[in-house]
Amino acid sequence: MKSTLHNGRMQISAKADYAVRALAELAADAGRPLTCEAIATSQDIPFRFLKGVFRDLRQAGLVRSQRGCEGGYWLARDPAEVTLADIVLAVDGAFLTLRGERLDDLGYHGPAAGLPGVWRGMEDHVRRVLTSTALSDLVRERLAA
């Protein structure tokens, strides 16, 4: 989840948000393939952007696709085995970045020298939340509502 601090708020990347929402659609209707167009319409996601997101998800082995009249996208794994962390890492490559830099690469001097440790602690917390939440948890919440 590429996150930035903007006006004091942490932001989640559009790619991460769209990817999780798209896979939630697939998990909720696992009996048949869904087209990118149908998912984009259902989730109000720009179609062209979503196509790129699906390319990343396919390369990460989270979805499989089939062309043709009966084509579309399916989850490649059971929704209980796909965590939000898997999805975020597939599209963003990291949980958090600071101005595009990975947190491991940060090094501050003087009084701010301890700040990278704070950012890494925040990243650890985000990692724990995302790794403990499966795609099936999202679908279950929706069905229970």
Side-chain angles (χ1 to χ4, degrees), residues 80-91:
E81 297 174 7
V82 178
T83 67
L84 298 191
D86 296 328
I87 301 167
V88 169
L89 290 174
V91 297

Side-chain angles (χ1 to χ4, degrees), residues 102-118:
R102 295 179 79 86
L103 298 182
D104 292 338
D105 298 335
L106 297 178
Y108 297 150
H109 306 285
L115 191 53
V118 173

Side-chain angles (χ1 to χ4, degrees), residues 14-119:
K15 274 182 99 170
D17 179 54
Y18 293 165
V20 171
R21 290 165 52 196
L23 293 189
E25 284 284 330
L26 292 178
D29 196 0
R32 63 186 174 98
L34 296 178
T35 65
C36 195
E37 295 90 349
I39 295 168
T41 300
S42 176
Q43 288 295 318
D44 196 25
I45 298 172
F47 171 70
R48 289 186 194 273
F49 195 100
L50 188 58
K51 284 180 67 170
V53 169
F54 267 110
R55 186 174 32 259
D56 292 342
L57 295 171
R58 191 174 56 248
Q59 287 175 344
L62 295 176
V63 297
R64 56 189 177 91
S65 63
Q66 177 179 322
R67 295 178 186 240
C69 294
E70 301 296 317
Y73 291 92
W74 294 269
L75 286 175
R77 299 184 347 219
D78 185 297
E81 297 174 7
V82 178
T83 67
L84 298 191
D86 296 328
I87 301 167
V88 169
L89 290 174
V91 297
D92 283 346
F95 292 114
L96 297 174
T97 62
L98 182 66
R99 294 184 310 275
E101 286 188 56
R102 295 179 79 86
L103 298 182
D104 292 338
D105 298 335
L106 297 178
Y108 297 150
H109 306 285
L115 191 53
V118 173
W119 298 148

Side-chain angles (χ1 to χ4, degrees), residues 108-139:
Y108 297 150
H109 306 285
L115 191 53
V118 173
W119 298 148
R120 283 190 288 276
M122 191 169 79
E123 180 183 40
D124 288 342
H125 180 70
V126 169
R127 178 181 285 114
R128 281 193 302 275
V129 170
L130 295 177
T131 56
S132 67
T133 306
L135 203 48
S136 60
D137 297 330
L138 293 180
V139 175

